[in-house]
Each structure stands twice: as structure tokens, then as C-alpha cells.
Amino acid sequence: MKKLLISAMVTLTLMAPTNIFAASPDSVASIAAAENSGSAWVARFPGSKSVDDLNDPFKSNVKSFIAALQAAGISTSIESTYRPEERAYLMHWSWKIVNKKVSPKDVPAKAGVNIKWVHDNDDANYSKSIAGAREMVNGYGISNLNVAPALNSNHTARNAIDLGTSWSKSSVVITDANGKKVTIDSGAKNSTNATLISVAKTYGLVHYTPVNDDKNHFSPNGH
């Protein structure tokens, strides 16, 4: 009787499904259909506008510079600080497509970004694909850039800020990092002003050059 019971238990065990090849919920979730480029991508892989998301010592330098700007009566607006690599990828290639630097069919894939740069049933000129990329460029606010956002940059390394500045007075006086009072009474009243750029450098913020290609970009080395 005992032998029969053991035999039955072994048989039931062998018959029970093991599901060793069943997909886990995580793996199922990771298998998503590729999606055409377009405005929906702009909200994904969000970047930051917070100075606190930067690395020191650049973070502390930025805070000191902004404090000096505001004390001088100069308005400031932060457009971007940290940027994830996935967002940088989307910004870089959408800008290149729109500015005819690359064909949608030649954009390399990136792991974790399941985007279709070439839309289904597009025409020979890739008009739908280019329109989708243009929606992204407009959504990212980079249509006025004269250079593509970098794939790997000080933004992705938490060492850059896009800092807009403006003032309406005929002149402003700002204190540099050495305590010197500097008067700005000529030139553009924004972040491309040569005197403002020289003051920023005393705080460890170097402006991108040529300045009009990326008007508000500052980093430790200008890149």
C-alpha cells in the first residue's frame, strides 16, 4: 500500500506544470510595440530644471551666480539642468532630422527607447517621419538652436545649465565672484552679453561658443 501511494505521488509531481519558461510580469512589460516619433515622446524621460540636480562644485557655483544676478536686478529663468541620456538621444536625432543632417532611416537605435523614426507607410521623402521629428523639436523648445543637442554632454553628466537672463534697465551692476562690482551698460540684455559672460566665468560658469548657437548654455568648460 505504501509503495502504491509513493508511486502515485511521483506520477502527480511529474504531471504538474512547472512554467519554467513563463514570462515574468517585468519581461512582459518591457516588450512594447515601437511607436512613431512625435509630440508624445517629449514628456518621456523627463529632464530637470532644478539646480539641486547638478553636481558640486558646479551646483554651488551656479547658485552663487544666480544670487549675484538677482541681486543686480537681472531676471533669471532655468530652462534645463540634468538631462537623461534617453532624452538627449531623442533631442539630438529629432533636431538632426528636422535640420536635414540625417535621414530618418539612418538614425541608430538606442536600448530602452522604442521609437520608430521612420513612420509606417511613409512616402519616399519621409514627410511623415520628418513631421514627427519636428513635433519633438518644437516640444523640446530647441528649434532656435544652431547646433544639435549633444548625445553625451555636461547636461547628462549633471554639469550644465541652460540659464536665461534678461533686464530692462540701461545698465546694471553685478558683483563677480571676487567681490568686484561690474557695470553692464552695453550689448545684448541676455545671456549672450560679453560682460555678463566674463562675470559668469569668475563663478566657474563658462558659456558655450559661438554664443549665438546655444545662447543660454553654461558649464564648467563651455561644452
Side-chain angles (χ1 to χ4, degrees), residues 90-125:
L90 294 168
M91 294 173 71
H92 177 89
W93 291 111
S94 61
W95 186 96
K96 282 209 161 187
I97 290 171
V98 169
N99 288 276
K100 300 181 180 179
K101 304 294 184 182
V102 69
S103 170
K105 69 180 177 62
D106 294 327
V107 176
K110 181 174 178 60
V113 185
N114 209 7
I115 188 171
K116 291 169 67 175
W117 292 108
V118 177
H119 290 210
D120 292 328
N121 304 315
D122 206 351
D123 58 40
N125 295 318

mmCIF file of all heavy atoms in Angstrom, residues 90-125:
data_model
loop_
_atom_site.group_PDB
_atom_site.id
_atom_site.type_symbol
_atom_site.label_atom_id
_atom_site.label_comp_id
_atom_site.label_asym_id
_atom_site.label_seq_id
_atom_site.Cartn_x
_atom_site.Cartn_y
_atom_site.Cartn_z
ATOM 1 N N LEU A 90 16.839 61.506 -27.942
ATOM 2 C CA LEU A 90 15.645 61.953 -28.666
ATOM 3 C C LEU A 90 15.795 63.383 -29.173
ATOM 4 O O LEU A 90 15.409 63.700 -30.308
ATOM 5 C CB LEU A 90 14.416 61.845 -27.758
ATOM 6 C CG LEU A 90 14.000 60.421 -27.351
ATOM 7 C CD1 LEU A 90 12.962 60.466 -26.238
ATOM 8 C CD2 LEU A 90 13.472 59.652 -28.559
ATOM 9 N N MET A 91 16.365 64.246 -28.349
ATOM 10 C CA MET A 91 16.567 65.634 -28.751
ATOM 11 C C MET A 91 17.573 65.736 -29.890
ATOM 12 O O MET A 91 17.362 66.457 -30.869
ATOM 13 C CB MET A 91 17.028 66.464 -27.547
ATOM 14 C CG MET A 91 15.980 66.605 -26.455
ATOM 15 S SD MET A 91 16.614 67.412 -24.960
ATOM 16 C CE MET A 91 16.791 69.099 -25.551
ATOM 17 N N HIS A 92 18.678 65.015 -29.754
ATOM 18 C CA HIS A 92 19.766 65.067 -30.741
ATOM 19 C C HIS A 92 19.280 64.660 -32.128
ATOM 20 O O HIS A 92 19.475 65.392 -33.110
ATOM 21 C CB HIS A 92 20.896 64.147 -30.281
ATOM 22 C CG HIS A 92 22.039 64.039 -31.234
ATOM 23 N ND1 HIS A 92 23.115 64.899 -31.185
ATOM 24 C CD2 HIS A 92 22.286 63.169 -32.274
ATOM 25 C CE1 HIS A 92 23.977 64.575 -32.142
ATOM 26 N NE2 HIS A 92 23.495 63.528 -32.815
ATOM 27 N N TRP A 93 18.640 63.496 -32.215
ATOM 28 C CA TRP A 93 18.295 62.966 -33.523
ATOM 29 C C TRP A 93 17.065 63.634 -34.123
ATOM 30 O O TRP A 93 16.987 63.775 -35.356
ATOM 31 C CB TRP A 93 18.135 61.454 -33.458
ATOM 32 C CG TRP A 93 19.458 60.772 -33.216
ATOM 33 C CD1 TRP A 93 19.858 60.105 -32.092
ATOM 34 C CD2 TRP A 93 20.562 60.730 -34.115
ATOM 35 N NE1 TRP A 93 21.138 59.652 -32.224
ATOM 36 C CE2 TRP A 93 21.606 60.011 -33.458
ATOM 37 C CE3 TRP A 93 20.798 61.220 -35.396
ATOM 38 C CZ2 TRP A 93 22.839 59.784 -34.054
ATOM 39 C CZ3 TRP A 93 22.033 60.990 -35.988
ATOM 40 C CH2 TRP A 93 23.030 60.281 -35.326
ATOM 41 N N SER A 94 16.121 64.057 -33.310
ATOM 42 C CA SER A 94 14.977 64.796 -33.872
ATOM 43 C C SER A 94 15.458 66.106 -34.489
ATOM 44 O O SER A 94 15.013 66.495 -35.587
ATOM 45 C CB SER A 94 13.898 65.046 -32.811
ATOM 46 O OG SER A 94 14.391 65.829 -31.731
ATOM 47 N N TRP A 95 16.392 66.797 -33.806
ATOM 48 C CA TRP A 95 16.945 68.054 -34.344
ATOM 49 C C TRP A 95 17.684 67.781 -35.650
ATOM 50 O O TRP A 95 17.537 68.525 -36.626
ATOM 51 C CB TRP A 95 17.889 68.685 -33.331
ATOM 52 C CG TRP A 95 18.390 70.052 -33.719
ATOM 53 C CD1 TRP A 95 17.883 71.257 -33.332
ATOM 54 C CD2 TRP A 95 19.516 70.351 -34.575
ATOM 55 N NE1 TRP A 95 18.602 72.292 -33.892
ATOM 56 C CE2 TRP A 95 19.608 71.763 -34.660
ATOM 57 C CE3 TRP A 95 20.435 69.580 -35.269
ATOM 58 C CZ2 TRP A 95 20.596 72.409 -35.418
ATOM 59 C CZ3 TRP A 95 21.407 70.207 -36.029
ATOM 60 C CH2 TRP A 95 21.485 71.608 -36.096
ATOM 61 N N LYS A 96 18.459 66.709 -35.695
ATOM 62 C CA LYS A 96 19.230 66.404 -36.905
ATOM 63 C C LYS A 96 18.320 66.056 -38.085
ATOM 64 O O LYS A 96 18.604 66.420 -39.233
ATOM 65 C CB LYS A 96 20.208 65.268 -36.627
ATOM 66 C CG LYS A 96 21.448 65.709 -35.861
ATOM 67 C CD LYS A 96 22.646 64.844 -36.189
ATOM 68 C CE LYS A 96 23.938 65.548 -35.796
ATOM 69 N NZ LYS A 96 25.134 64.814 -36.239
ATOM 70 N N ILE A 97 17.239 65.350 -37.802
ATOM 71 C CA ILE A 97 16.295 65.015 -38.870
ATOM 72 C C ILE A 97 15.656 66.276 -39.431
ATOM 73 O O ILE A 97 15.596 66.485 -40.647
ATOM 74 C CB ILE A 97 15.215 64.043 -38.350
ATOM 75 C CG1 ILE A 97 15.821 62.665 -38.081
ATOM 76 C CG2 ILE A 97 14.059 63.925 -39.346
ATOM 77 C CD1 ILE A 97 14.884 61.711 -37.358
ATOM 78 N N VAL A 98 15.161 67.129 -38.546
ATOM 79 C CA VAL A 98 14.478 68.357 -38.970
ATOM 80 C C VAL A 98 15.418 69.278 -39.735
ATOM 81 O O VAL A 98 15.019 69.934 -40.705
ATOM 82 C CB VAL A 98 13.881 69.076 -37.743
ATOM 83 C CG1 VAL A 98 13.410 70.481 -38.103
ATOM 84 C CG2 VAL A 98 12.724 68.265 -37.176
ATOM 85 N N ASN A 99 16.676 69.315 -39.317
ATOM 86 C CA ASN A 99 17.647 70.197 -39.968
ATOM 87 C C ASN A 99 18.403 69.511 -41.109
ATOM 88 O O ASN A 99 19.412 70.022 -41.585
ATOM 89 C CB ASN A 99 18.620 70.749 -38.928
ATOM 90 C CG ASN A 99 17.971 71.784 -38.031
ATOM 91 O OD1 ASN A 99 17.900 72.956 -38.379
ATOM 92 N ND2 ASN A 99 17.482 71.349 -36.878
ATOM 93 N N LYS A 100 17.868 68.366 -41.539
ATOM 94 C CA LYS A 100 18.373 67.652 -42.713
ATOM 95 C C LYS A 100 19.853 67.284 -42.594
ATOM 96 O O LYS A 100 20.599 67.306 -43.572
ATOM 97 C CB LYS A 100 18.115 68.470 -43.977
ATOM 98 C CG LYS A 100 16.632 68.737 -44.222
ATOM 99 C CD LYS A 100 16.392 69.521 -45.498
ATOM 100 C CE LYS A 100 14.902 69.760 -45.701
ATOM 101 N NZ LYS A 100 14.628 70.551 -46.939
ATOM 102 N N LYS A 101 20.250 66.933 -41.369
ATOM 103 C CA LYS A 101 21.611 66.474 -41.135
ATOM 104 C C LYS A 101 21.701 64.951 -41.237
ATOM 105 O O LYS A 101 22.788 64.393 -41.338
ATOM 106 C CB LYS A 101 22.103 66.913 -39.754
ATOM 107 C CG LYS A 101 22.042 68.422 -39.506
ATOM 108 C CD LYS A 101 22.998 69.187 -40.388
ATOM 109 C CE LYS A 101 22.981 70.669 -40.060
ATOM 110 N NZ LYS A 101 23.888 71.455 -40.938
ATOM 111 N N VAL A 102 20.537 64.300 -41.190
ATOM 112 C CA VAL A 102 20.488 62.845 -41.271
ATOM 113 C C VAL A 102 19.103 62.439 -41.773
ATOM 114 O O VAL A 102 18.113 63.135 -41.536
ATOM 115 C CB VAL A 102 20.778 62.210 -39.886
ATOM 116 C CG1 VAL A 102 19.650 62.482 -38.906
ATOM 117 C CG2 VAL A 102 21.023 60.710 -40.006
ATOM 118 N N SER A 103 19.042 61.322 -42.456
ATOM 119 C CA SER A 103 17.755 60.777 -42.888
ATOM 120 C C SER A 103 17.157 59.959 -41.751
ATOM 121 O O SER A 103 17.888 59.290 -41.002
ATOM 122 C CB SER A 103 17.962 59.878 -44.108
ATOM 123 O OG SER A 103 16.783 59.157 -44.400
ATOM 124 N N PRO A 104 15.832 59.970 -41.607
ATOM 125 C CA PRO A 104 15.209 59.174 -40.536
ATOM 126 C C PRO A 104 15.618 57.704 -40.571
ATOM 127 O O PRO A 104 15.744 57.072 -39.520
ATOM 128 C CB PRO A 104 13.711 59.339 -40.801
ATOM 129 C CG PRO A 104 13.600 60.659 -41.492
ATOM 130 C CD PRO A 104 14.834 60.765 -42.343
ATOM 131 N N LYS A 105 15.875 57.177 -41.754
ATOM 132 C CA LYS A 105 16.228 55.758 -41.866
ATOM 133 C C LYS A 105 17.627 55.449 -41.340
ATOM 134 O O LYS A 105 17.957 54.281 -41.089
ATOM 135 C CB LYS A 105 16.123 55.308 -43.330
ATOM 136 C CG LYS A 105 17.168 55.903 -44.258
ATOM 137 C CD LYS A 105 16.992 55.403 -45.680
ATOM 138 C CE LYS A 105 17.986 56.052 -46.631
ATOM 139 N NZ LYS A 105 19.396 55.755 -46.303
ATOM 140 N N ASP A 106 18.448 56.466 -41.170
ATOM 141 C CA ASP A 106 19.834 56.255 -40.754
ATOM 142 C C ASP A 106 20.080 56.525 -39.268
ATOM 143 O O ASP A 106 21.225 56.445 -38.804
ATOM 144 C CB ASP A 106 20.771 57.139 -41.585
ATOM 145 C CG ASP A 106 20.792 56.748 -43.050
ATOM 146 O OD1 ASP A 106 20.653 55.538 -43.327
ATOM 147 O OD2 ASP A 106 20.923 57.637 -43.914
ATOM 148 N N VAL A 107 19.037 56.849 -38.533
ATOM 149 C CA VAL A 107 19.216 57.114 -37.093
ATOM 150 C C VAL A 107 19.454 55.794 -36.363
ATOM 151 O O VAL A 107 18.679 54.851 -36.508
ATOM 152 C CB VAL A 107 17.978 57.823 -36.505
ATOM 153 C CG1 VAL A 107 18.142 57.999 -34.997
ATOM 154 C CG2 VAL A 107 17.763 59.172 -37.181
ATOM 155 N N PRO A 108 20.512 55.698 -35.573
ATOM 156 C CA PRO A 108 20.779 54.451 -34.842
ATOM 157 C C PRO A 108 19.784 54.244 -33.701
ATOM 158 O O PRO A 108 19.251 55.202 -33.139
ATOM 159 C CB PRO A 108 22.191 54.663 -34.295
ATOM 160 C CG PRO A 108 22.322 56.153 -34.175
ATOM 161 C CD PRO A 108 21.541 56.725 -35.322
ATOM 162 N N ALA A 109 19.534 52.987 -33.408
ATOM 163 C CA ALA A 109 18.626 52.654 -32.305
ATOM 164 C C ALA A 109 19.335 52.853 -30.974
ATOM 165 O O ALA A 109 20.565 52.883 -30.896
ATOM 166 C CB ALA A 109 18.162 51.216 -32.436
ATOM 167 N N LYS A 110 18.536 53.016 -29.910
ATOM 168 C CA LYS A 110 19.078 53.102 -28.544
ATOM 169 C C LYS A 110 18.269 52.182 -27.650
ATOM 170 O O LYS A 110 17.034 52.239 -27.636
ATOM 171 C CB LYS A 110 19.030 54.532 -28.013
ATOM 172 C CG LYS A 110 19.619 54.658 -26.597
ATOM 173 C CD LYS A 110 19.695 56.086 -26.138
ATOM 174 C CE LYS A 110 20.242 56.201 -24.721
ATOM 175 N NZ LYS A 110 21.612 55.647 -24.590
ATOM 176 N N ALA A 111 18.943 51.360 -26.897
ATOM 177 C CA ALA A 111 18.272 50.438 -25.977
ATOM 178 C C ALA A 111 17.386 51.204 -25.005
ATOM 179 O O ALA A 111 17.800 52.217 -24.443
ATOM 180 C CB ALA A 111 19.309 49.620 -25.205
ATOM 181 N N GLY A 112 16.165 50.723 -24.848
ATOM 182 C CA GLY A 112 15.244 51.345 -23.910
ATOM 183 C C GLY A 112 14.405 52.467 -24.493
ATOM 184 O O GLY A 112 13.529 53.001 -23.822
ATOM 185 N N VAL A 113 14.679 52.840 -25.754
ATOM 186 C CA VAL A 113 13.896 53.897 -26.412
ATOM 187 C C VAL A 113 13.295 53.285 -27.668
ATOM 188 O O VAL A 113 13.927 53.251 -28.729
ATOM 189 C CB VAL A 113 14.761 55.121 -26.764
ATOM 190 C CG1 VAL A 113 13.886 56.240 -27.329
ATOM 191 C CG2 VAL A 113 15.530 55.615 -25.540
ATOM 192 N N ASN A 114 12.073 52.805 -27.559
ATOM 193 C CA ASN A 114 11.454 52.036 -28.634
ATOM 194 C C ASN A 114 10.698 52.956 -29.598
ATOM 195 O O ASN A 114 9.483 52.868 -29.748
ATOM 196 C CB ASN A 114 10.516 50.991 -28.034
ATOM 197 C CG ASN A 114 10.389 49.767 -28.924
ATOM 198 O OD1 ASN A 114 11.094 49.632 -29.918
ATOM 199 N ND2 ASN A 114 9.483 48.875 -28.577
ATOM 200 N N ILE A 115 11.429 53.822 -30.249
ATOM 201 C CA ILE A 115 10.841 54.812 -31.140
ATOM 202 C C ILE A 115 11.051 54.390 -32.590
ATOM 203 O O ILE A 115 12.053 53.777 -32.943
ATOM 204 C CB ILE A 115 11.464 56.211 -30.905
ATOM 205 C CG1 ILE A 115 10.712 57.287 -31.711
ATOM 206 C CG2 ILE A 115 12.950 56.220 -31.208
ATOM 207 C CD1 ILE A 115 11.146 58.711 -31.356
ATOM 208 N N LYS A 116 10.064 54.711 -33.428
ATOM 209 C CA LYS A 116 10.178 54.463 -34.862
ATOM 210 C C LYS A 116 10.404 55.807 -35.547
ATOM 211 O O LYS A 116 9.484 56.612 -35.674
ATOM 212 C CB LYS A 116 8.898 53.812 -35.387
ATOM 213 C CG LYS A 116 8.695 52.396 -34.904
ATOM 214 C CD LYS A 116 7.304 51.877 -35.213
ATOM 215 C CE LYS A 116 7.081 51.706 -36.686
ATOM 216 N NZ LYS A 116 5.767 51.089 -36.969
ATOM 217 N N TRP A 117 11.626 56.048 -35.962
ATOM 218 C CA TRP A 117 11.934 57.306 -36.645
ATOM 219 C C TRP A 117 11.344 57.327 -38.046
ATOM 220 O O TRP A 117 11.010 58.396 -38.554
ATOM 221 C CB TRP A 117 13.451 57.504 -36.696
ATOM 222 C CG TRP A 117 14.081 57.744 -35.353
ATOM 223 C CD1 TRP A 117 14.862 56.889 -34.649
ATOM 224 C CD2 TRP A 117 13.981 58.932 -34.550
ATOM 225 N NE1 TRP A 117 15.255 57.451 -33.459
ATOM 226 C CE2 TRP A 117 14.747 58.718 -33.367
ATOM 227 C CE3 TRP A 117 13.335 60.160 -34.710
ATOM 228 C CZ2 TRP A 117 14.871 59.676 -32.362
ATOM 229 C CZ3 TRP A 117 13.462 61.123 -33.702
ATOM 230 C CH2 TRP A 117 14.213 60.871 -32.549
ATOM 231 N N VAL A 118 11.227 56.151 -38.660
ATOM 232 C CA VAL A 118 10.568 56.049 -39.967
ATOM 233 C C VAL A 118 9.152 55.554 -39.738
ATOM 234 O O VAL A 118 8.937 54.428 -39.282
ATOM 235 C CB VAL A 118 11.327 55.083 -40.902
ATOM 236 C CG1 VAL A 118 10.575 54.944 -42.225
ATOM 237 C CG2 VAL A 118 12.743 55.573 -41.153
ATOM 238 N N HIS A 119 8.160 56.384 -40.051
ATOM 239 C CA HIS A 119 6.767 56.036 -39.816
ATOM 240 C C HIS A 119 6.288 54.985 -40.818
ATOM 241 O O HIS A 119 6.789 54.905 -41.948
ATOM 242 C CB HIS A 119 5.887 57.282 -39.931
ATOM 243 C CG HIS A 119 6.091 58.259 -38.809
ATOM 244 N ND1 HIS A 119 5.082 59.087 -38.349
ATOM 245 C CD2 HIS A 119 7.176 58.545 -38.042
ATOM 246 C CE1 HIS A 119 5.550 59.847 -37.368
ATOM 247 N NE2 HIS A 119 6.820 59.528 -37.169
ATOM 248 N N ASP A 120 5.301 54.225 -40.401
ATOM 249 C CA ASP A 120 4.695 53.250 -41.298
ATOM 250 C C ASP A 120 4.071 53.949 -42.501
ATOM 251 O O ASP A 120 3.479 55.032 -42.377
ATOM 252 C CB ASP A 120 3.603 52.463 -40.557
ATOM 253 C CG ASP A 120 4.177 51.554 -39.486
ATOM 254 O OD1 ASP A 120 5.305 51.060 -39.669
ATOM 255 O OD2 ASP A 120 3.501 51.351 -38.460
ATOM 256 N N ASN A 121 4.203 53.321 -43.659
ATOM 257 C CA ASN A 121 3.565 53.811 -44.893
ATOM 258 C C ASN A 121 3.954 55.250 -45.232
ATOM 259 O O ASN A 121 3.148 56.011 -45.762
ATOM 260 C CB ASN A 121 2.033 53.700 -44.786
ATOM 261 C CG ASN A 121 1.585 52.287 -44.467
ATOM 262 O OD1 ASN A 121 2.077 51.324 -45.067
ATOM 263 N ND2 ASN A 121 0.675 52.156 -43.506
ATOM 264 N N ASP A 122 5.185 55.633 -44.885
ATOM 265 C CA ASP A 122 5.636 56.983 -45.223
ATOM 266 C C ASP A 122 5.987 57.041 -46.707
ATOM 267 O O ASP A 122 6.223 56.014 -47.353
ATOM 268 C CB ASP A 122 6.850 57.357 -44.377
ATOM 269 C CG ASP A 122 6.998 58.867 -44.195
ATOM 270 O OD1 ASP A 122 6.267 59.615 -44.868
ATOM 271 O OD2 ASP A 122 7.835 59.283 -43.383
ATOM 272 N N ASP A 123 6.044 58.261 -47.236
ATOM 273 C CA ASP A 123 6.383 58.414 -48.649
ATOM 274 C C ASP A 123 7.900 58.412 -48.843
ATOM 275 O O ASP A 123 8.675 58.331 -47.892
ATOM 276 C CB ASP A 123 5.759 59.686 -49.234
ATOM 277 C CG ASP A 123 6.181 60.949 -48.493
ATOM 278 O OD1 ASP A 123 7.377 61.050 -48.121
ATOM 279 O OD2 ASP A 123 5.339 61.833 -48.280
ATOM 280 N N ALA A 124 8.321 58.545 -50.089
ATOM 281 C CA ALA A 124 9.736 58.463 -50.416
ATOM 282 C C ALA A 124 10.551 59.597 -49.822
ATOM 283 O O ALA A 124 11.761 59.470 -49.627
ATOM 284 C CB ALA A 124 9.907 58.445 -51.937
ATOM 285 N N ASN A 125 9.897 60.708 -49.509
ATOM 286 C CA ASN A 125 10.586 61.868 -48.932
ATOM 287 C C ASN A 125 10.544 61.883 -47.406
ATOM 288 O O ASN A 125 11.004 62.836 -46.779
ATOM 289 C CB ASN A 125 9.978 63.169 -49.470
ATOM 290 C CG ASN A 125 10.188 63.329 -50.955
ATOM 291 O OD1 ASN A 125 11.268 63.041 -51.463
ATOM 292 N ND2 ASN A 125 9.161 63.783 -51.661
#
